[in-house]
Every structure is written in structure tokens, then in C-alpha cells.
Amino acid sequence: MPSLQTVWFLLIGLLFIGYAVLDGFDLGAGIVHLFVARNDAERRSVLNAIGPVWDGNEVWLITGGGALFAAFPLVYATVFSGLYLAVMLLLGALILRAVSIEFRSKETNRLWRMAWDAGFALGSALAALLFGVALGNIVRGLPLDDGGVYRGGLAGLLNPFSIVMGLLTLGLAAQQGSSWIVLKTEGALRTRAQRTGVASTLVVIAAWLAATGIAWFDSNRVFDNFARNPLAWIGPLGTAVALASMLYAYRRRQEFLAFVLSSVAIVGLAATAGATLYPNLVPAVDASRSLTVNNAHSSDTALTVMLVIALVGMPIVIAYTAFIYWKFKGKVQLDEAGY
Amino acid sequence: MDVVQLSRIQFALTISFHFIFPAVTIGLAGLIAIVETMRWRTRRDVYDRLSVFLTKLFAVTFVIGVVSGIVMEFQFGTNWATFSGFVGDIFGAPLAAEGIFAFFLESAFVGIVLFGRNRVGSTVRWLAGVLVCLGTTISAFWILVANSWMQTPAGFKIVTDANGVSKAQMTDFWQAVFNPSTLPRLFHTLAACWVVGAFFLMGISAWYVLRHRNSDVTAIALRLAVIVAFLGSGLMFVSGDLQTREVQANQPLKFAAMEGVFHTEKGVALELIGLPPSQSGPAAIPPLAIPNGLSAMTNLDPNSEIKGLDQEPDTSLWPPVTLTWMSFHLMVGLGVLMMLLMLFGAFFWWRRSLDSSVWWLRFAVLAIPLPIIAVELGWMTAEVGRQPWIVQGLMMTSKGVSPGVSATDVGISLIAILLVYALLFFLWIYALTKEIGRGPEAAPGVVAGPAAPVVAALPTAGQSGEGN
């Protein structure tokens, strides 16, 4: 029986994986839409493909943040204040894309729509990139001082490993978004999205190899768990299999399967990141200062209450979310109830 | 300015901007639930069009509420890391519960309400409207739990961790959730949001009548709004009275600052109109006041004792008196003004001249922002009146900031937020004006029925996009 704090390590992992899989496709739709959608009707098709669900997807991030606050307050406090300007930039990116989605279709003026289309692309790409840069710095280990505070500023976050990790999440989101557009649209739009999907997968593979290589030469504890526990290999092996099968599914025009496999690749890479971290949540360069599941968690009372909340609430959430996706299944139509 | 001041300004800015939007959406969601219920029961086209119109106003407001809300969720960690570490054991649970029980619900069913009208049947569409309303209400509950715990903490003990840092630890979840100020705050805030939504719709409908754009839809909208605004305005006074009593019992210094009572004495007068007090004493010019009024109202005994600010000899623990007094008195003043408007509204309705009382209609249009301003003033009273504490009696605001964040960092983010929020506000007003200009008549008369037939082919590029 794993400890309560390990259960919460997994549950928060699941919330962020839910976010990466779901918001991943609408961030990705933003990243690739300038490349795949060539006219106004196509742009609106892309928006309508994510329209009914994107802000529900973003709730996974909000809930993940809340759960992190509740279960590991010190991690929430250290990471969000340590990465201050990066978090502010991320919030700016999320605001920009949300506003772009909402306001783009309010005017028919070409410049107006071009500006918001660019905002949608920029906000989405920046958000996806920053998630990876943040994750990269955490996996790599933050230089926490003796008060447990990171004081490196924004510049301290820009190192080769983290930038490559940023490209990895950018590529993953683009792949996920392309797969979603392939699933939800038809014709030339669908064909182009399939091409950006394959291109993004190549970026993902290249960035993944580069990240692994940099981590190898950094020779830090990133690989410890893989040497210790063979179960840790499920993540990277699952990802490799999923990516290869996804490319095959694209060729066979198995749209739904390709989207599922793209999602599996995200889950696999997130599991890989989780495996490198555990039992750390925020490894410090000086390991004695690391925030782990054993020194940063809330009381058993709080964790138990939260577990009850999650066990009661999340099955209901998943049920009606599935219902909503079911209602909006199939290729998008441009009708009056849309953008 | 130092990092504490800048962080406080940034929090004040982000929270007062953010709260405009949930206040409007909670109010509108309540109205949508009512109108959807009427549509579902009567199947009349007029309710269909009103519901679609309200939904459009809701949509543009909701999105800005969502994005400015994410900023709030992250800001505890970015700017108030020490506070977050101190309260996380208790404070995090309501935030996570808000996500799980409220945000998922509202954002999922907003999808149906905005995009799925033609994909679901009449009953599911109604249910979606009601669930969005339920979601916004549950959201209000959990976030007010978190705030109320900062005002009147309960169900916790203070422990010291391995590094010698003290923090609050949950001992009783339900005591923490239903701490002394949760329910009074919830009633007052929800009533306020309904008033915000109702005045919003009332003003818009009045504007249509004044511009001779009245129709069966605006007639129903106006009357629905007047009913809710009338009842809501009345409820404001009942719930406000309850909450003031709760503050008097649990945060006596805040209460003394709100009422401008410096010295503990018997038979204290109720100030109606006057100049604000300074931090050290009442205004030089005596206010217009009801003798013994405050004692009578508070304790139902005109000669009873009211504890003044001097109950706390350490003046550094007093809240900013001027600001607390002013925000509270302005809020009450606006409440009286709104109640007057609603009494006239009821009178004209009774005289069957609601649609022809031009002056009343004009005032109804002008009154749209009043409840929003009153809500902001109410929060200012609650939050400024709690100072210098971030958690009443447990942690000082000055001790709660992030240790690793510099004044420059906060300065940069503050300026950026100021610019972005100015743009967001402008966009919101622009989008609302556009939808209002288009009017409820432009809404497609989709009479509730089975899903529309599926059109396979995509329209060509030439088709202009009359978006949502």
C-alpha cells in the first residue's frame, strides 16, 4: 500500500497528464492553424473543432494547480514564486490565446482576423514551449538556496536541456493538435494537418533524443530510477511504440487511432518525466534541499479529505466530460452556433 | 515601493478586475436558468430567443472571468509563497474542490449551451443551463470558503515543521469549511451577484425600450429583471445585516473601522452622511447621524455598549480606518440608491406604466454599473478591514510575500497586467456593445427540437463569417 503522499504524487501527475492530453490538442490546434488553415472557412473549422471543449480542457490545469497547492504547498509556493516571470509570461500566453479564440470572429475585417489568428498561434506556441522549459528545469534540478528559494531569475531557466524540453512539449502539442484536426475536419485541411502531424512527430523524436543525450552528459540523477526499477522503462518504451504506430495509423487513415496513439505518447513521456523525478517533486542541485513527497506534503487529514473529494468528484467529471465529447463527435460543421 | 506594497497593489488590481466577471456571470447564469426553465416548460419562441441572447452576453463575460481567474489561482504561489506555505494544508483543499466540483461542471456545460443547442434535445439543453448555474454557484461557495477562512480561521492548529517554520494544519475539515463567516458571506455575495445580473439585464432592456426597439422579448426581459432586481435588492439588506453582525462578533476591529467608532461607549449614534474619519479620529465636522442608532441596530438596545477601535491599544493592529469606513459607507449608500430605483420600478409596474416611464428607464440604464461598484466596495471593506493581517490573527500581510521575488519582478508584472487588463476590459465592453446592438431579435429562432440535420460539406471561403 503506497503512502498517502505517493498516491497524491500519482494523482497530481494524472491531473497534469489530463491537461497535457486535452489542452494539448487545443494548444496544438493554435500552433499549427496558420500552416494548415489557408482561408477563413478553414480557420473557423479549426476553431469550431476546439470551441466547445477548450476551456473545459484548461480546467485540468487549474485543478492540477489547486491540487498541488493542497497536497504539496511548498512545491506550489517554491515553483510558482521561483519561476515568477516565466509563470507571468505563461499566464499572458494563456490570456492571449483565449481572447484570440473568443474575439476573432466578432468582426469580418481581414486585419482584425489576421491579428487574432496570429495571437492564437503565438499564445498557444508560447504556452506549450514554457511548459516544457519549466518541466525541463524541474527535472534537471533547481539551484535552491538554504532557505529553499530559487533566485536564478528568468535567465537562469534558459539552459540547453530545458530549451530542448520546451521544443519537445511544443512538438508534442503540435502533434496532438494536428491529430485532432485530422480527426475533426475533411478535405485539404485534413490533408495538411496530417503533414504537420508527421513533421511534429519528427520534432518530438529529435528533441527527445537530444534531451536524453544532454541529460546523459550532465550525468545527474535523471537515470537513477531507470537503473533501479525496470518498471520505469514502461514510459519511454510505450512512447516509442505509440509514436511508431501513430505514423502507421496516419498512413492507414485510422484517424481516431492516430489521435489515441498521440495521446498515449504524451502519457508515456509524462510517465517518463514522473519516473525521473520520484520521490522528488522539485529536485535541488544540492540534494539535501530537494522537495520530495516525504518532506513537502500536507497533513494526513488534509490529504485524506482531498482524496475523498477527488474520488467522489473526478468520476463524475470524467463521465460528463465523456458525454460532452460524445455529443460533439464527428467532423465539424460551420453553422450558426459556432465561431 | 517595496515588494510587499507592489504585491498588494497587484493583488488588489487582479482581484478587483477579476471579480467583475464572476459577479456578472453568476447573475446571468441564474437568469439563464430561469429563462431556460420557462422555455423548456412552455416551448415558446420568445424564451428561446431571450435565452440565446443572454447566453451570448454570458459567453464574452465568462471567457474574461476564466482567464483572469487563472491569474488568481497562480498568484497565491507567485507572489504570496510564504502565505501559501503557511495555509496550504487548509487553503488548497477548497481551491482544488472548486476545480473538481465547479469549474469542470460550468465549462463542460457552457460548451453545450454555446455550441450544442442544435445537437441536444430540449431537456438536455435545459439541464445544461441549470448545471452551468449550479457550477457558478458551487464555485462561489468554495472560493468564499477559502476567503472566509482567512477572515475567521477555524478547524486548524498551528504546528512547527522540521525547519522551524510554523504553519496552519487542518484538524477538522468541516469546521474549516463552515467557519463562522462562510455562510453570511456566501448569502451576501450570491445575492449581490444576482443583483448585478438583474441590473445588467434591466438596464439593457430599458435601453431597448427607450430606443423603440422593444419587442415581446424585451418586455419579458425587463419584467424578469425587475422582479429579480427587486427581490435581490431587498435580500442585500437582509444578508448585509447578517454579515455585519458576524463581522461585529468575529472581527470587532474591522466593524469599528467600518462604523468609524473610535471609543468604546454606550449609546453610539449611527452615521448616515459625513466626512470620512482619519486614522486617528473622527472627522472634524460632525456627521448626520441617528442618535443611539448603531447601538440600537447592533444590539437591539439603544443604550448598549459598542466596542471601538480603542479595544486594541496597539494602533499598529488597526485596519486603515478611512478606507474601510469609506468603502463600507459608499456600498451601503449605493444599496439604498438601488433599492429606491426598484421601489419606483415596482410602483410604475403596479401603475402599468413601466414601459413609458422614460426617466425611470433612463435611470435603469445608468444603474447598470452601480451593483458592480457596490460589490467591489464590499470586497474592499472585507479585505482592507482585515489588515494588517493576511490571515486574521495568525499571519501579517507583510510576512506573506514570496522571498525570492524582487520588487523589480513585481513591478514588471504589475505594469504588464495593467496593460493587458485595460485591453481585456475594452474588449469586453466592445463585445457587449456589439451583442447588445445586434439585439435579441437577431438571435436565431431555434425552437427546441431534435438535432438539426447534418450538413456534410464545408461552406466555401467566400461565405462571410457571422460568428457567435
PDB file of all heavy atoms in Angstrom, chain A residues 283-302:
ATOM      1  N   PRO A 283      13.613  18.432  -7.420  1.00  0.00           N
ATOM      2  CA  PRO A 283      14.972  18.110  -7.002  1.00  0.00           C
ATOM      3  C   PRO A 283      15.803  19.387  -6.973  1.00  0.00           C
ATOM      4  O   PRO A 283      15.652  20.238  -7.845  1.00  0.00           O
ATOM      5  CB  PRO A 283      15.462  17.155  -8.094  1.00  0.00           C
ATOM      6  CG  PRO A 283      14.540  17.358  -9.251  1.00  0.00           C
ATOM      7  CD  PRO A 283      13.271  17.925  -8.746  1.00  0.00           C
ATOM      8  N   ALA A 284      16.627  19.522  -5.943  1.00  0.00           N
ATOM      9  CA  ALA A 284      17.523  20.676  -5.877  1.00  0.00           C
ATOM     10  C   ALA A 284      18.906  20.226  -6.309  1.00  0.00           C
ATOM     11  O   ALA A 284      19.229  19.041  -6.259  1.00  0.00           O
ATOM     12  CB  ALA A 284      17.557  21.228  -4.465  1.00  0.00           C
ATOM     13  N   VAL A 285      19.714  21.187  -6.765  1.00  0.00           N
ATOM     14  CA  VAL A 285      21.082  20.860  -7.156  1.00  0.00           C
ATOM     15  C   VAL A 285      21.797  20.260  -5.950  1.00  0.00           C
ATOM     16  O   VAL A 285      22.488  19.256  -6.048  1.00  0.00           O
ATOM     17  CB  VAL A 285      21.806  22.123  -7.671  1.00  0.00           C
ATOM     18  CG1 VAL A 285      23.272  21.822  -7.911  1.00  0.00           C
ATOM     19  CG2 VAL A 285      21.132  22.610  -8.959  1.00  0.00           C
ATOM     20  N   ASP A 286      21.602  20.883  -4.782  1.00  0.00           N
ATOM     21  CA  ASP A 286      22.061  20.292  -3.522  1.00  0.00           C
ATOM     22  C   ASP A 286      20.938  19.389  -3.022  1.00  0.00           C
ATOM     23  O   ASP A 286      19.914  19.866  -2.529  1.00  0.00           O
ATOM     24  CB  ASP A 286      22.354  21.417  -2.528  1.00  0.00           C
ATOM     25  CG  ASP A 286      22.711  20.867  -1.149  1.00  0.00           C
ATOM     26  OD1 ASP A 286      22.531  19.651  -0.926  1.00  0.00           O
ATOM     27  OD2 ASP A 286      23.142  21.655  -0.314  1.00  0.00           O
ATOM     28  N   ALA A 287      21.129  18.066  -3.171  1.00  0.00           N
ATOM     29  CA  ALA A 287      20.022  17.126  -2.980  1.00  0.00           C
ATOM     30  C   ALA A 287      19.362  17.232  -1.601  1.00  0.00           C
ATOM     31  O   ALA A 287      18.187  16.910  -1.445  1.00  0.00           O
ATOM     32  CB  ALA A 287      20.510  15.697  -3.206  1.00  0.00           C
ATOM     33  N   SER A 288      20.113  17.728  -0.594  1.00  0.00           N
ATOM     34  CA  SER A 288      19.518  17.811   0.741  1.00  0.00           C
ATOM     35  C   SER A 288      18.400  18.847   0.789  1.00  0.00           C
ATOM     36  O   SER A 288      17.605  18.868   1.719  1.00  0.00           O
ATOM     37  CB  SER A 288      20.598  18.151   1.771  1.00  0.00           C
ATOM     38  OG  SER A 288      21.039  19.483   1.564  1.00  0.00           O
ATOM     39  N   ARG A 289      18.354  19.739  -0.194  1.00  0.00           N
ATOM     40  CA  ARG A 289      17.312  20.777  -0.212  1.00  0.00           C
ATOM     41  C   ARG A 289      16.133  20.406  -1.109  1.00  0.00           C
ATOM     42  O   ARG A 289      15.215  21.206  -1.300  1.00  0.00           O
ATOM     43  CB  ARG A 289      17.904  22.102  -0.677  1.00  0.00           C
ATOM     44  CG  ARG A 289      18.908  22.658   0.318  1.00  0.00           C
ATOM     45  CD  ARG A 289      19.623  23.863  -0.238  1.00  0.00           C
ATOM     46  NE  ARG A 289      20.743  24.205   0.644  1.00  0.00           N
ATOM     47  CZ  ARG A 289      21.744  24.975   0.291  1.00  0.00           C
ATOM     48  NH1 ARG A 289      21.778  25.485  -0.928  1.00  0.00           N
ATOM     49  NH2 ARG A 289      22.716  25.231   1.128  1.00  0.00           N
ATOM     50  N   SER A 290      16.193  19.236  -1.701  1.00  0.00           N
ATOM     51  CA  SER A 290      15.123  18.834  -2.618  1.00  0.00           C
ATOM     52  C   SER A 290      13.783  18.761  -1.902  1.00  0.00           C
ATOM     53  O   SER A 290      13.713  18.398  -0.732  1.00  0.00           O
ATOM     54  CB  SER A 290      15.427  17.457  -3.210  1.00  0.00           C
ATOM     55  OG  SER A 290      16.594  17.519  -3.990  1.00  0.00           O
ATOM     56  N   LEU A 291      12.726  19.123  -2.624  1.00  0.00           N
ATOM     57  CA  LEU A 291      11.374  18.935  -2.108  1.00  0.00           C
ATOM     58  C   LEU A 291      10.896  17.572  -2.604  1.00  0.00           C
ATOM     59  O   LEU A 291      10.860  17.318  -3.813  1.00  0.00           O
ATOM     60  CB  LEU A 291      10.439  20.033  -2.610  1.00  0.00           C
ATOM     61  CG  LEU A 291      10.790  21.457  -2.163  1.00  0.00           C
ATOM     62  CD1 LEU A 291       9.865  22.465  -2.810  1.00  0.00           C
ATOM     63  CD2 LEU A 291      10.723  21.565  -0.645  1.00  0.00           C
ATOM     64  N   THR A 292      10.555  16.701  -1.659  1.00  0.00           N
ATOM     65  CA  THR A 292      10.163  15.339  -2.032  1.00  0.00           C
ATOM     66  C   THR A 292       8.758  15.047  -1.529  1.00  0.00           C
ATOM     67  O   THR A 292       8.179  15.848  -0.792  1.00  0.00           O
ATOM     68  CB  THR A 292      11.117  14.301  -1.404  1.00  0.00           C
ATOM     69  OG1 THR A 292      10.841  14.239  -0.005  1.00  0.00           O
ATOM     70  CG2 THR A 292      12.573  14.695  -1.618  1.00  0.00           C
ATOM     71  N   VAL A 293       8.230  13.897  -1.929  1.00  0.00           N
ATOM     72  CA  VAL A 293       6.900  13.518  -1.438  1.00  0.00           C
ATOM     73  C   VAL A 293       6.933  13.358   0.088  1.00  0.00           C
ATOM     74  O   VAL A 293       5.897  13.399   0.736  1.00  0.00           O
ATOM     75  CB  VAL A 293       6.373  12.209  -2.067  1.00  0.00           C
ATOM     76  CG1 VAL A 293       6.098  12.386  -3.550  1.00  0.00           C
ATOM     77  CG2 VAL A 293       7.320  11.059  -1.825  1.00  0.00           C
ATOM     78  N   ASN A 294       8.122  13.190   0.647  1.00  0.00           N
ATOM     79  CA  ASN A 294       8.204  12.949   2.091  1.00  0.00           C
ATOM     80  C   ASN A 294       8.444  14.195   2.933  1.00  0.00           C
ATOM     81  O   ASN A 294       8.259  14.166   4.139  1.00  0.00           O
ATOM     82  CB  ASN A 294       9.313  11.937   2.381  1.00  0.00           C
ATOM     83  CG  ASN A 294       9.021  10.612   1.706  1.00  0.00           C
ATOM     84  OD1 ASN A 294       7.895  10.136   1.753  1.00  0.00           O
ATOM     85  ND2 ASN A 294      10.022  10.047   1.042  1.00  0.00           N
ATOM     86  N   ASN A 295       8.865  15.306   2.311  1.00  0.00           N
ATOM     87  CA  ASN A 295       9.103  16.484   3.154  1.00  0.00           C
ATOM     88  C   ASN A 295       8.274  17.710   2.744  1.00  0.00           C
ATOM     89  O   ASN A 295       8.397  18.760   3.358  1.00  0.00           O
ATOM     90  CB  ASN A 295      10.598  16.829   3.210  1.00  0.00           C
ATOM     91  CG  ASN A 295      11.123  17.373   1.887  1.00  0.00           C
ATOM     92  OD1 ASN A 295      10.354  17.678   0.975  1.00  0.00           O
ATOM     93  ND2 ASN A 295      12.430  17.492   1.771  1.00  0.00           N
ATOM     94  N   ALA A 296       7.463  17.587   1.706  1.00  0.00           N
ATOM     95  CA  ALA A 296       6.742  18.774   1.246  1.00  0.00           C
ATOM     96  C   ALA A 296       5.226  18.587   1.291  1.00  0.00           C
ATOM     97  O   ALA A 296       4.477  19.430   0.812  1.00  0.00           O
ATOM     98  CB  ALA A 296       7.170  19.117  -0.186  1.00  0.00           C
ATOM     99  N   HIS A 297       4.775  17.476   1.878  1.00  0.00           N
ATOM    100  CA  HIS A 297       3.344  17.154   1.764  1.00  0.00           C
ATOM    101  C   HIS A 297       2.508  17.775   2.878  1.00  0.00           C
ATOM    102  O   HIS A 297       3.021  18.147   3.931  1.00  0.00           O
ATOM    103  CB  HIS A 297       3.160  15.639   1.776  1.00  0.00           C
ATOM    104  CG  HIS A 297       3.607  14.993   3.057  1.00  0.00           C
ATOM    105  ND1 HIS A 297       2.756  14.783   4.097  1.00  0.00           N
ATOM    106  CD2 HIS A 297       4.820  14.534   3.450  1.00  0.00           C
ATOM    107  CE1 HIS A 297       3.422  14.204   5.098  1.00  0.00           C
ATOM    108  NE2 HIS A 297       4.675  14.043   4.712  1.00  0.00           N
ATOM    109  N   SER A 298       1.207  17.848   2.633  1.00  0.00           N
ATOM    110  CA  SER A 298       0.272  18.325   3.650  1.00  0.00           C
ATOM    111  C   SER A 298       0.022  17.227   4.678  1.00  0.00           C
ATOM    112  O   SER A 298       0.469  16.088   4.515  1.00  0.00           O
ATOM    113  CB  SER A 298      -1.044  18.728   2.987  1.00  0.00           C
ATOM    114  OG  SER A 298      -0.895  19.968   2.351  1.00  0.00           O
ATOM    115  N   SER A 299      -0.738  17.572   5.717  1.00  0.00           N
ATOM    116  CA  SER A 299      -1.029  16.609   6.780  1.00  0.00           C
ATOM    117  C   SER A 299      -1.883  15.458   6.243  1.00  0.00           C
ATOM    118  O   SER A 299      -2.553  15.587   5.217  1.00  0.00           O
ATOM    119  CB  SER A 299      -1.785  17.306   7.900  1.00  0.00           C
ATOM    120  OG  SER A 299      -3.044  17.736   7.426  1.00  0.00           O
ATOM    121  N   ASP A 300      -1.869  14.339   6.955  1.00  0.00           N
ATOM    122  CA  ASP A 300      -2.693  13.203   6.543  1.00  0.00           C
ATOM    123  C   ASP A 300      -4.172  13.573   6.505  1.00  0.00           C
ATOM    124  O   ASP A 300      -4.910  13.109   5.633  1.00  0.00           O
ATOM    125  CB  ASP A 300      -2.474  12.018   7.505  1.00  0.00           C
ATOM    126  CG  ASP A 300      -1.172  11.287   7.185  1.00  0.00           C
ATOM    127  OD1 ASP A 300      -0.506  11.689   6.205  1.00  0.00           O
ATOM    128  OD2 ASP A 300      -0.831  10.326   7.907  1.00  0.00           O
ATOM    129  N   THR A 301      -4.598  14.434   7.456  1.00  0.00           N
ATOM    130  CA  THR A 301      -6.001  14.873   7.450  1.00  0.00           C
ATOM    131  C   THR A 301      -6.335  15.557   6.125  1.00  0.00           C
ATOM    132  O   THR A 301      -7.313  15.223   5.455  1.00  0.00           O
ATOM    133  CB  THR A 301      -6.255  15.873   8.596  1.00  0.00           C
ATOM    134  OG1 THR A 301      -5.638  15.386   9.770  1.00  0.00           O
ATOM    135  CG2 THR A 301      -7.730  16.102   8.813  1.00  0.00           C
ATOM    136  N   ALA A 302      -5.489  16.510   5.740  1.00  0.00           N
ATOM    137  CA  ALA A 302      -5.751  17.245   4.506  1.00  0.00           C
ATOM    138  C   ALA A 302      -5.699  16.313   3.295  1.00  0.00           C
ATOM    139  O   ALA A 302      -6.563  16.390   2.406  1.00  0.00           O
ATOM    140  CB  ALA A 302      -4.740  18.379   4.351  1.00  0.00           C
TER     141      ALA A 302
END
